[in-house]
Amino acid sequence: MKASAFAYARATSVVNALELLAAYGDKAKVLSGGQSLMPAMNLRLISPEFIVDIGELAELRGIVVKGDVLTVRALTRHVDVLGSPEIATHAPLLRDATSHVAHPAIRNRGTLGGSLAHADPAAELPACMVALGATVIVCGPQGERRIPAQEFFTGIYETALSPQELLVAVELPVAQKDSAHFFHEFARRQGDYAIVGLAAQAIIQGDQFADLRLGFFAVGDRPLLAKAAENLVNVAVTSEVLASASAALSEELDPQEDQQATPAMRRHLAKVLLSRCVATLLSRPDLREGARA
Amino acid sequence: MTRAPENRDAFSVLDRPNSYIGKTVPRPNLDRLMQGRGQYVSDIELPRMAHVVFLRSPHAHARITGIDGAAAKRMPGVIAVVTGQEIAAVITPWVGVLSHLKGLKSAPQSAIAVDRVCWQGEAVAAIIATSRAAAEDAAEHVAVAYEELDAVTDMQTALDPTTSVIHPALGDNLAFERNHDAGTVDAAFAASDEVVEAEFIFGRHTGVTLEPRSVVADWNAAEARLTIYQGTQAPHMVQNIAALHLGLQESQVRVVCKDVGGSFGIKVHIYADEMATYALSKLLRRPVKFVADRVESFNTDIHARDHRCKGKIGVKRDGTITAFEIDDLTGIGPYSMYPRTSAIEANQVVNLVGGPYATKNYRARARVVFQNKNVMCQYRAVGHPIACSVTESLVDLAAMKIGMDPVEIRRRNLIADDAYPCASPSGLRFEQLSHHAALAKLIKMMDYDALRAEQATLRARNIHRGIGIASFIEVTNPSAAFYGVGGAKISSQDGVALRLDAQGAVVCQTSITEQGQGSESLTAQIVGSVLGVSMDRVRVILGDTDNTPYGGGTWASRGAGIGGEAALQATKVLRRNILDVAAAILQSTPGELDIINNSVVNVSDGAPRIELSELARIVYFRPDTLPPGIQAELMATRHFVPREYPFAFTNGVQASWLEVDTDTGFVKLLKHWVVEDCGTIINPQLVDEQIRGGVVQGLGAALFEKCVYDERGQLTNANMADYLVPMSGEMPDIDVGHVVSPTLESELGAKGAGEAGTAGAAAAVTNAVNDALRPFRTIVTEIPLTPQIILTALGRI
Ligand SMILES: Cc1cc2nc3c(=O)[nH]c(=O)nc-3n(C[C@H](O)[C@H](O)[C@H](O)COP(=O)(O)OP(=O)(O)OC[C@H]3O[C@@H](n4cnc5c(N)ncnc54)[C@H](O)[C@@H]3O)c2cc1C
C-alpha cells in the first residue's frame, strides 16, 4: 500500500503547469485534491512517474457570477461548493448533489475539477454538468478549448482532455425563473458512489414541464442525458405519459453489472427515480408509484 | 465450587463501601490513547529493523514451477528474498486439528507456500528490505512461474466425486462432519400440525480491524531469545506455538502485546505470515516488522460464516414447537486454521440451534469442506449468528404458519426461568438463564403493542415497516472443554498477581489482554473495590509473557468472568495479608480492621487507623519495628478457571424495527433493542458499548458485509470501497437493557458480554424484513440482505 516512487513538482502558475505537462506527456499526472489519485497510486493501480501538483494555483480557485453565467474554477473544493451562496442561488442542483459526494474529510480536499477530470461514471458531479448544460473549459499547449459537458465525458474514467491539458473551470447557465431541480441517488451507505442516481433540472410552467433535463449516473459508462425527458415536456403528465417516458428510458439505458446491482436492477431503479423525480417536481404524489406499472 | 450468594465472604465486592463494581468509571487507558501515546506494533522502531512484504499468489490454486528473486535482490534497500523452501529450514509446518473434534482432518501448512499455493493471497515469497516501500518495489521484480490447477470454490460441489481433491493425501475435501440426534425427531415432526422448512444462506465476511495484523519479531542471537511484539489476543498461545515450530523452549520466547487496534477474534489465530516473520528474524538475525496492508488483510485475515443451512421446524396449533432439524454446510478454505481449528464454527452451530427453547427433539448434521479460498475460522460470536438466525427465522416462520404473534410463540416455548439448571437438546448445560424476564423487559422497552399499531397504520399508507425478535444464548467463560481437552496448548485459566508498592499503590499483573474491551478498567475496578483503594492507585500490566501470570488472554467473552475472578481472589489474599500486618502494627486483630479509601480503618466505627502508604513504609523500610515473627507478604497471586460448567451461558433477546422501501429494496434501520444477561455487571458503560459494538458488527453481516469471490476463487472486493463495513450513517439507535443472573461458579458472578450483540442482530433484522414483507407473501433467507435480494424476492426485477 505504498505508491511507487515518483518525481514531484508544485506548479507555480497555469502556464508553468502546462509546461510541465508538455514536457512529461502521459507519464505525468495532475494532482488536485488527491482523493481519487492517491488511493489509485497507493494501490499501485497507476504509477505515474511525475506528479504536477496544482494545489497552490490561486488562479484556479473561486466562484464568480457574471451576467447569466456562473463560473466555478477547477480547484473549488466540494466543501466550498456546499458553502457558496452563489451556488445555492444559481445552481442549487450542484449544491444538493455535492452533499452526496463522499464524506466531510474527503469533501474538504476533493475538487470539482478533479471530480470532472476523473470522470467516474458513478460520480454525482459529471451528471450535474450534463443536466445543467455546463461548458467545460480546458487549457492546453494550443490555448483554451470550450467543451460542452455532454461531449466532455467519453467513457469510464475517460474525457476529452488530452494529457497535456488542464481543466481550469466550468461555466454554468444561472438558474432561470420557474426553474426547479431534483437530486436523488441510491447508495448502500451514505457517501458511497451511487448504484443509480439522477440529477434533474427543469423549468415548470403551470403544472407542466417547459423544459426537463435528466442527468442519470451510474447507468452506463458516462452520465446520460436522457432523451426520455422529451416525452414529458409540454404535456399534461398522466400515469400513461409517465409510463411511456419510463419505457423510453428503459430503451435508452445500457447499464453495467457490478457487485452492487445487475443491469435489470439498475434499469428498475432508474425508472423508480424517474417517477419520484416527476412526482416531486410536479408535486404529484399520485405519480410516485408510476414505476410499478 | 458453588456458593450460595448469602454465604459470600464478608468482603463481598458487591456491597463494599466505595465499590466501583456496577459503576461507569472512565477507562484508565483513555488519556494515554486519546493523547496519541498508545503503543501499537506499527509504532515500534528497533535498531536494524527490517520490513517484510509478502509476495502473494494471484491464483486460487496453482503449482509453483519457479521463483526468481535475483532481480529483486539487486534492488536498492533489499536485504533478502526468501522462499518457502528456504524458510522451512528454521520453522516447521503445522496441522490445525484438535482431538476432541472427532474426524477433523487438515493438511500440513507452511509459513510460506512450498511448491503449491492453495488460495489467492497465500504468500509465495518474502521480500525483506529497509523500508516497506522498498520491499514493495522489489516485490514487483520477483518472477514466479505458476501452473494453474483446478480451483475448488463452491462448497456445494466440493464433495462431488467429480470435484478435484485439494489435498490428495486426505482422500476427499471433507474436513469435518458432526451428526447429532436427540429425542424423537421423526415422531415429533409426524405429530406436528405444521412443518416449515427453509434454506438459509450466510455470506462470507471478515473482521476488518482498524489496526491490521502486525508483528515485530526480534531474534537476539546473543541471548538466544526471540521477542515478539504482536497485536494478539493470546500472548501465551503465541509463545507456545512460536517456540514449538522454531525449535525453541518457551522460555526463549517473549511475547509483548501493547495496544491493539481491535481484534474481534481475527487476532486469536496463528497466521502463516506471522510465523514467517518470526522465522525471518531468526534467519536474518535482526528485527523484522510485518504490518499487513488493507488488501492483504482482506485476503488473509480469517474470514468467517459462509454457511448454507437447511432448517426444519415442527409446530402444533397451540404454538408448541415440537422439533428442530438442521443440515449445515460450510467451506473453510484450504486449511483448518491453527491451533483452534476451523471446525469450531460448524460445531457451535450444531450446539446452539434451538438452544433457547424447551423442545428436546433435535437432529443436526454439519459438514465442513475445504475450498481454494482464504482460510475461515473463529470470529466474534463464533457460530452464534448462524444458529440464532436459523433458529429464530424458523420460529417466526412457524408462527406465521399458525397465525401466532412472534412474541407469543416465544413465550410459549422459551425455557422457563425457573427450570434451571437444565440442558439443551444438544447437551449443553445451563446454570441459570432468564429468557422470559429478558423478553418481558424488551417488550416493555420497545412498547411492542404501540409499534404493532404504528406498523398497521403505516401499512395502510403503503409504508412497510417490520418488527423482528430474536432470542439467543451466548457461550462465555469457556473452561478447558473448549480447546484444552483437544490437546491445544491454549490455557483456559487466568492469573492475577498483585503487589503493594512502597507508597501503598497496587501493581497488578494479569494474563488477560486488552484490545479495547476495557480489560484494564474492569481489572482495576475489581482490585480497587475489593482492596479498598481508589482506582488511580491500581496500575494494571497486561500483554507480556515475561511479566504476567500464565493465562489464556481475551477471547470467547472470558476476560471479565475468568480474569476478573482471578483478580478478585488475588485481591482478597493481598487484603488479608495487609490486614495481618496492620493488626500487628496496631495491636488489633484482622477481624476488627478493614481497608477503606486507601486507609486501614476500624470496622466498628470506621475511624482511620493507618494509611496504606504508612503501612508500606513500615513494611519495606522499617521491618525491624514489626513484632518478632511477623513477615509481611504484600504480594499475592491467584488463578481461576471454571470447573463445574464447561461454559457460562448467557442469554438475551434483540429486536429490530425497520422500514423496507419495496420499490427499491433498500432497508432503513430505525431502532434496535437488546436485553441481555451477563450476570454481574462490573462497568455498565463497558457492557453497553460491547453490546452496541457487537450489534453493529451483526448489522454489518445482516445488510452489508460480504467477501465476494468469483468462480475462479478470486476475491473481487478486497478494499474498503467495495467491501461495505457498517457505518454510523446507517446505524440505528441501540437501546440496551439488562437482567442480572450472576453465575454462582465464581464469587464475582460475571459472565461474558462480548459477543451477545453480534449473536442476535442479523436474526432480528431478517425477521423484521420478513415481517415488513408479509403483505407481499414472500420471504428472504439470505444475508447480507441486499437491495438486489429484496427486489428479487418481491419480483420487481
Ligand atoms: C472514500 C471516498 C469516497 C468517495 N466518494 C465519492 C462519491 O460518492 N462521489 C464522487 O463523486 N466522488 C467520490 N470520491 C472522490 C472524490 O470526490 C474526489 O475528490 C474526486 O473524484 C477527485 O477530486 P480530486 O480533487 O481529489 O482529484 P485528484 O484525485 O487529485 O485527481 C483525480 C484525477 O483527475 C486528474 N485531475 C485533477 N484535476 C485536474 C485538472 N484540473 N485538470 C486535469 N486533470 C485533473 C488527476 O490527474 C487524476 O487523474 C470519493 C473519494 C474517496 C476517497
Side-chain angles (χ1 to χ4, degrees):
Chain A
M1 290 282 235
K2 307 283 180 204
S4 49
F6 54 87
Y8 168 94
R10 171 166 279 178
T12 52
S13 66
V14 169
V15 173
N16 175 232
L18 292 176
E19 283 165 7
L20 292 166
L21 289 177
Y24 290 89
D26 51 13
K27 294 199 171 90
K29 271 279 174 196
V30 173
L31 172 66
S32 184
Q35 299 304 295
S36 296
L37 184 62
M38 297 314 299
M41 286 172 63
N42 283 341
L43 287 164
R44 298 200 178 200
L45 296 173
I46 51 168
S47 299
E49 286 174 24
F50 197 78
I51 291 294
V52 179
D53 182 353
I54 59 170
E56 292 287 281
L57 301 182
E59 55 193 302
L60 290 185
R61 265 181 216 291
I63 300 165
V64 185
V65 190
K66 214 161 151 193
D68 53 8
V69 176
L70 170 68
T71 302
V72 187
R73 298 212 178 93
L75 280 183
T76 305
R77 297 177 198 267
H78 304 321
V79 65
D80 302 329
V81 169
L82 286 175
S84 158
E86 290 87 355
I87 288 179
T89 311
H90 301 297
L93 173 66
L94 186 56
R95 181 206 51 200
D96 283 10
T98 303
S99 69
H100 290 262
V101 176
H103 310 277
I106 293 151
R107 295 199 292 261
N108 285 342
R109 295 206 74 92
T111 65
L112 177 64
S115 177
L116 302 182
H118 188 58
D120 190 314
E124 293 81 0
L125 307 183
C128 291
M129 295 302 126
V130 167
L132 291 169
T135 304
V136 181
I137 303 174
V138 307
C139 270
Q142 271 82 47
E144 189 181 285
R145 290 202 292 150
R146 299 171 60 81
I147 310 168
Q150 253 190 286
E151 293 163 27
F152 182 77
F153 303 103
T154 56
I156 300 176
Y157 307 127
E158 280 176 17
T159 68
L161 271 174
S162 81
Q164 277 83 25
E165 286 177 319
L166 210 54
L167 191 162
V168 294
V170 292
E171 288 180 1
L172 306 168
V174 303
Q176 300 175 31
K177 182 165 163 295
D178 299 331
S179 70
H181 70 279
F182 173 89
F183 185 91
H184 195 74
E185 67 177 37
F186 296 123
R188 295 280 294 282
R189 302 173 305 177
Q190 244 174 60
D192 281 354
Y193 280 104
I195 297 178
V196 175
L198 170 59
Q201 185 72 21
I203 295 177
I204 299 171
Q205 277 156 4
D207 51 10
Q208 294 187 2
F209 290 114
D211 187 27
L212 179 62
R213 294 175 66 88
L214 301 172
F216 282 94
F217 53 103
V219 292
D221 68 351
R222 68 195 86 173
L224 173 86
L225 187 66
K227 293 196 190 63
E230 290 164 12
N231 294 281
L232 298 162
V233 174
N234 294 325
V235 291
V237 179
T238 59
S239 52
E240 290 72 31
V241 169
L242 181 56
S244 71
S246 196
L249 175 67
S250 190
E251 285 292 301
E252 269 182 89
L253 296 175
D254 184 15
Q256 284 159 345
E257 163 116 44
D258 64 14
Q259 286 175 358
Q260 304 290 348
T262 57
M265 173 163 157
R266 288 215 150 79
R267 187 168 270 131
H268 170 80
L269 290 179
K271 293 200 277 183
V272 171
L273 276 177
L274 177 66
S275 304
R276 290 186 181 180
C277 170
V278 172
T280 306
L281 287 176
L282 296 179
S283 309
R284 290 269 306 278
D286 59 305
L287 295 174
R288 200 179 140 89
E289 312 295 328
R292 296 231 177 108
Chain B
M1 181 174 49
T2 304
R3 280 190 216 91
E6 54 270 27
N7 291 346
R8 282 198 173 154
D9 199 293
F11 302 146
S12 169
V13 293
L14 302 172
D15 55 13
R16 279 181 58 77
N18 302 326
S19 171
Y20 295 103
I21 307 297
K23 299 214 174 83
T24 289
V25 288
R27 306 168 181 218
N29 56 7
L30 264 189
D31 286 349
R32 187 167 54 79
L33 296 175
M34 299 310 285
Q35 292 180 26
R37 300 305 300 261
Q39 201 170 22
Y40 298 89
V41 172
S42 44
D43 295 323
I44 293 175
E45 294 291 336
L46 299 177
R48 293 182 66 246
M49 188 176 80
H51 298 257
V52 59
V53 162
F54 293 97
L55 182 66
R56 296 183 180 279
S57 167
H59 303 295
H61 197 192
R63 193 164 304 291
I64 302 168
T65 55
I67 301 180
D68 183 357
K73 280 183 189 162
R74 287 193 299 270
M75 301 274 293
V78 174
I79 295 162
V81 175
V82 178
T83 64
Q85 237 123 25
E86 289 161 351
I87 211 168
V90 279
I91 190 159
T92 56
W94 54 88
V95 182
V97 293
L98 285 169
S99 62
H100 68 311
L101 297 168
K102 297 264 174 315
L104 170 61
K105 57 188 196 245
S106 188
Q109 188 182 358
S110 303
I112 297 178
V114 180
D115 298 336
R116 188 169 66 121
V117 286
C118 288
W119 85 90
Q120 179 224 1
E122 185 172 5
V124 290
I127 297 92
I128 302 92
T130 49
S131 74
R132 168 112 195 168
E136 282 188 22
D137 283 345
E140 291 183 349
H141 293 88
V142 177
V144 183
Y146 296 98
E147 187 186 298
E148 264 197 84
L149 301 169
D150 280 347
V152 180
T153 54
D154 184 355
M155 63 185 173
Q156 290 177 280
T157 55
L159 298 177
D160 290 357
T162 50
T163 301
S164 61
V165 174
I166 296 176
H167 305 294
L170 300 182
D172 57 26
N173 288 325
L174 183 68
F176 178 65
E177 174 164 350
R178 179 177 166 197
N179 286 280
H180 183 84
D181 201 343
T184 51
V185 175
D186 292 324
F189 280 130
S192 301
D193 292 319
E194 299 287 352
V195 173
V196 190
E197 291 180 65
E199 183 172 17
F200 303 93
I201 301 173
F202 300 87
R204 224 177 212 260
H205 61 99
T206 184
V208 197
T209 56
L210 202 54
E211 182 201 20
R213 290 187 294 109
S214 349
V215 53
V216 172
D218 183 11
W219 171 251
N220 182 330
E223 281 189 327
R225 212 159 182 248
L226 178 69
T227 303
I228 297 171
Y229 303 89
Q230 183 169 332
T232 174
Q233 299 173 232
H236 282 105
M237 182 193 86
V238 171
Q239 178 191 43
N240 167 263
I241 285 172
L244 182 65
H245 292 279
L246 290 166
L248 302 171
Q249 296 298 310
E250 286 184 24
S251 59
Q252 288 177 280
V253 179
R254 175 183 179 194
V255 178
V256 181
C257 172
K258 296 193 172 173
D259 293 308
V260 184
S263 291
F264 317 123
I266 299 296
K267 297 176 185 168
V268 77
H269 312 290
I270 296 293
Y271 290 86
D273 45 24
E274 294 164 0
M275 291 284 255
T277 307
Y278 316 150
L280 286 168
S281 176
K282 192 146 180 271
L283 199 67
L284 301 172
R285 298 162 73 101
R286 64 193 295 165
V288 178
K289 180 188 250 186
F290 167 63
V291 180
D293 72 20
R294 195 52 74 184
V295 175
E296 61 189 342
S297 296
F298 277 114
N299 277 295
T300 61
D301 284 5
I302 56 117
H303 293 175
R305 323 300 189 220
D306 203 8
H307 287 244
R308 298 182 77 98
C309 187
K310 295 197 184 89
K312 189 170 163 185
I313 186 171
V315 67
K316 294 231 163 96
R317 242 180 299 281
D318 68 0
T320 309
I321 296 170
T322 55
F324 287 100
E325 180 172 359
I326 62 155
D327 186 2
D328 183 42
L329 177 66
T330 180
I332 54 161
Y335 298 102
S336 170
M337 200 66 187
Y338 192 55
R340 288 166 197 253
T341 85
S342 305
I344 295 279
E345 177 146 282
N347 199 52
Q348 290 280 58
V349 173
V350 172
N351 280 344
L352 298 172
V353 163
Y357 296 100
T359 179
K360 293 282 175 225
N361 304 313
Y362 174 44
R363 184 155 57 214
R365 173 170 78 154
R367 286 171 304 158
V368 177
V369 301
F370 293 116
Q371 312 156 291
N372 293 111
K373 292 181 180 173
N374 183 23
V375 285
M376 281 223 321
C377 201
Q378 285 83 285
Y379 158 68
R380 195 174 194 170
V382 188
H384 292 66
I386 317 287
C388 181
S389 289
V390 169
T391 305
E392 294 302 288
S393 291
L394 287 173
V395 170
D396 265 25
L397 292 177
M400 220 180 267
K401 194 81 176 199
I402 59 168
M404 185 174 278
D405 184 272
V407 170
E408 188 52 34
I409 195 170
R410 286 177 173 78
R411 278 198 192 114
R412 293 186 187 199
N413 289 282
L414 288 166
I415 300 173
D417 290 357
D418 61 5
Y420 301 92
C422 65
S424 81
S426 62
L428 304 170
R429 287 164 58 221
F430 300 134
E431 182 193 359
Q432 176 65 56
L433 302 179
S434 57
H435 287 298
H436 290 270
L439 183 63
K441 187 158 188 174
L442 180 91
I443 298 306
K444 206 162 158 219
M445 274 166 66
M446 65 193 286
D447 201 348
Y448 183 77
D449 294 336
L451 274 192
R452 281 280 176 221
E454 187 180 339
Q455 178 186 38
T457 314
L458 291 171
R459 210 168 249 175
R461 290 170 32 207
N462 215 6
I463 293 170
H464 298 284
R465 293 195 175 175
I467 299 170
I469 311 276
S471 288
F472 63 88
I473 51 175
E474 184 201 355
V475 176
T476 79
N477 294 4
S479 69
F482 220 160
Y483 297 113
V485 297
K489 299 263 171 49
I490 299 170
S491 184
S492 51
Q493 59 89 60
D494 272 287
V496 167
L498 294 173
R499 71 171 190 266
L500 199 71
D501 78 5
Q503 290 191 318
V506 182
V507 179
C508 168
Q509 294 154 307
T510 175
S511 60
I512 63 168
T513 54
E514 166 87 88
Q515 299 100 37
Q517 302 91 335
S519 305
E520 237 182 288
S521 180
L522 71 89
T523 304
Q525 281 179 259
I526 292 167
V527 173
S529 303
V530 177
L531 192 59
V533 302
S534 47
M535 263 179 79
D536 57 11
R537 294 224 186 172
V538 183
R539 201 161 72 81
V540 179
I541 294 169
L542 24 68
D544 184 344
T545 55
D546 267 7
N547 289 307
T548 63
Y550 201 93
T554 299
W555 41 272
S557 298
R558 62 190 300 288
I562 298 178
E565 177 69 6
L568 185 153
Q569 295 302 337
T571 313
K572 281 176 61 180
V573 177
L574 178 63
R575 179 188 159 73
R576 205 176 306 135
N577 293 356
I578 290 172
L579 291 181
D580 283 347
V581 184
I585 295 172
L586 300 170
Q587 297 180 349
S588 173
T589 63
E592 289 173 306
L593 300 170
D594 193 358
I595 306 172
I596 287 173
N597 223 350
N598 310 313
S599 288
V600 176
V601 301
N602 284 334
V603 171
S604 55
D605 59 3
R609 299 293 305 277
I610 182 170
E611 297 213 343
L612 286 183
S613 54
E614 175 60 9
L615 179 139
R617 185 191 67 77
I618 295 169
V619 167
Y620 291 125
F621 306 116
R622 295 302 307 275
D624 56 311
T625 65
L626 293 176
I630 295 287
Q631 173 58 55
E633 286 297 346
L634 299 189
M635 186 157 184
T637 302
R638 280 294 178 271
H639 292 77
F640 177 70
V641 65
R643 297 290 296 277
E644 193 168 328
Y645 285 89
F647 308 99
F649 272 92
T650 72
N651 68 281
V653 57
Q654 304 197 15
S656 167
W657 171 235
L658 52 74
E659 185 171 319
V660 180
D661 183 335
T662 53
D663 286 335
T664 64
F666 277 72
V667 173
K668 187 172 169 50
L669 302 173
L670 300 170
K671 183 99 192 191
H672 202 96
W673 296 266
V674 184
V675 176
E676 67 79 52
D677 183 348
C678 66
T680 303
I681 295 173
I682 299 162
N683 184 327
Q685 191 175 39
L686 287 179
V687 171
D688 286 1
E689 297 314 323
Q690 278 296 308
I691 298 294
R692 290 198 177 94
V695 165
V696 168
Q697 272 179 321
L699 295 176
L703 296 178
F704 300 109
E705 295 185 60
K706 184 174 182 183
C707 299
V708 182
Y709 275 90
D710 69 13
E711 62 289 345
R712 295 180 53 230
Q714 298 285 319
L715 179 58
T716 58
N717 64 338
N719 63 71
M720 296 293 280
D722 297 320
Y723 181 95
L724 308 181
V725 295
M727 307 240 290
S728 56
E730 285 66 43
M731 291 300 104
D733 281 349
I734 302 165
D735 278 2
V736 184
H738 307 276
V739 174
V740 178
S741 316
T743 171
L744 301 184
E745 225 188 322
S746 68
E747 198 173 338
L748 182 62
K751 307 186 242 184
E755 300 167 280
T758 314
V765 167
T766 308
N767 281 350
V769 167
N770 283 331
D771 185 44
L773 296 182
R774 230 172 220 260
F776 302 88
R777 300 183 180 286
T778 184
I779 60 157
V780 288
T781 53
E782 177 173 357
I783 60 169
L785 268 166
T786 62
Q788 177 90 39
I789 289 173
I790 293 175
L791 284 177
T792 305
L794 285 165
R796 299 245 194 267
I797 52 174

